[in-house]
């Protein structure tokens, strides 16, 4: 079973569904209002914590759990590690590498969203919030800034600040489009999570090219699990895992 909600999970499921030696299920939290069509068998909704996930693994006789959730989906990843251990099920993680700074980047690193709010400072700024909708509410405590907020689904309830505009859109985004957006809206700082991957990296490049500050929320430490950074390396591990010699315990 693949815990998904990411492009990588989708790609992994796509690569596995055709295989006759595997029965693959993709699990989604069910957060997105209009999710993309997913390949193969899909289940939707939480399990009820790590205990619920552990019983699911046992009931469904899952042989391998793949945590391919978003690098900021910390609760499900922690639950996956605990549940796999208690149900004695093999588990791996598929997690794209974090972005790294390059020359010209003006990153200010923070470890959590409340810290990102403080890092904006007390003087009014024009902020591009590209953090998803779930944590946008933290910025209610800094109403002196103007906000442009981009998310896939609407921020609900909207921010309680005098100046907030919303864009509903999902990646991938191009450098040209991001540069245009930042210039057009006169943005002077971006707040983003270090999600990694290429689909939303253009805003980082655009900020670099325009000399715009980026407040970068770093990833939390995740539970210890054998981790692969690409779909291809995870696939190679899965191929080895299901090979007859491994199944016989050779
Ligand atoms: N956080 C982000 O920035 C972000 C960005 C893009 C995509 N996503 C995706 O959106 C989903 C929710 O993210 P989140 O940050 O809200 O997660 P989270 O805080 O780590 O998880 C909250 C709860 O949602 C349920 N859940 C999460 N992922 C699930 C999955 N793949 N299948 C079944 N249940 C799941 C679990 O409920 P129970 O405890 O009841 O099992 C979990 O405890 C994840 O699938 C993630 O990959 C997250």
């Amino acid at each position: 079973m693949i815990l998904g909600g990411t492009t990588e999970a989708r790609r992994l499921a796509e690569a596995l569904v055709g295989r006759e030696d595997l029965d693959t299920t993709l699990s989604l939290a069910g957060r997105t209002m209009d999710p993309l069509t997913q390949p193969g068998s899909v289940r939707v909704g939480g399990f009820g914590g790590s205990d619920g996930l552990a019983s699911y693994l046992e009931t469904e006789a899952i042989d391998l759990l793949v945590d391919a959730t978003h690098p900021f989906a910390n609760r499900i990843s922690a639950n996956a590690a605990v549940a796999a251990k208690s149900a004695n099920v093999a588990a791996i993680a598929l997690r794209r590498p974090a972005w790294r700074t390059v020359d010209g980047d003006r990153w200010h690193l923070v470890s959590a969203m409340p810290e990102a709010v403080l890092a904006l400072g007390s003087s009014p700024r024009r902020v591009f919030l590209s953090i998803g909708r779930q944590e946008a509410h933290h910025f209610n405590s800094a109403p002196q800034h103007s906000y442009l907020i981009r998310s896939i689904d609407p921020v609900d309830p909207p921010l309680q600040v005098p100046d907030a505009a919303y864009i509903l859109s999902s990646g991938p985004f191009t450098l040209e489009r991001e540069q245009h957006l930042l210039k057009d809206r006169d943005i002077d700082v971006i707040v983003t999570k270090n999600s990694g991957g290429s689909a939303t990296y253009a805003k980082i490049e655009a900020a670099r090219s325009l000399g715009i500050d980026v407040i970068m929320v770093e990833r939390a430490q995740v539970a210890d699990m054998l981790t692969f950074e690409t779909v291809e390396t995870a696939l190679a591990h899965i191929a080895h895992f299901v090979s007859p010699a491994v199944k016989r315990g050779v």
Side-chain angles (χ1 to χ4, degrees), residues 1-7 9 26-32 43-53 66-79 95-96 131-135 152 193 195:
M1 179 168 71
I2 303 166
L3 298 171
T6 57
T7 310
L26 180 62
S27 172
L28 300 176
R31 295 276 195 286
T32 312
R43 67 160 299 287
V44 180
F47 298 93
S50 59
D51 288 349
L53 178 53
V66 182
D67 172 15
T69 58
H70 190 270
F72 281 81
N74 296 329
R75 254 194 297 161
I76 187 69
S77 291
N79 290 350
R95 190 125 23 247
R96 56 177 102 124
I131 56 168
R133 72 191 158 93
Q134 294 191 86
E135 292 187 274
I152 297 175
K193 298 173 180 174
S195 300

Side-chain angles (χ1 to χ4, degrees), residues 161-232:
V161 297
D163 188 2
Y166 299 87
I167 301 176
L168 294 183
S169 184
S170 54
F173 303 102
T174 64
L175 175 58
E176 200 181 17
R177 189 172 151 191
E178 298 292 60
Q179 285 171 326
H180 175 77
L181 181 73
L182 297 176
K183 281 198 275 195
D184 189 48
R185 305 296 185 113
D186 205 17
I187 297 296
D188 59 59
V189 58
I190 298 177
V191 182
T192 182
K193 298 173 180 174
N194 195 335
S195 300
S198 58
T200 60
Y201 186 65
K203 66 188 170 203
I204 306 297
E205 291 178 289
R208 185 187 309 136
S209 70
L210 299 170
I212 291 175
D213 292 336
V214 173
I215 296 175
M216 182 66 74
V217 184
E218 296 192 281
R219 299 174 179 195
Q221 198 68 34
V222 286
D224 204 17
M225 203 184 267
L226 179 61
T227 301
F228 299 90
E229 291 193 337
T230 63
V231 172
E232 291 67 32

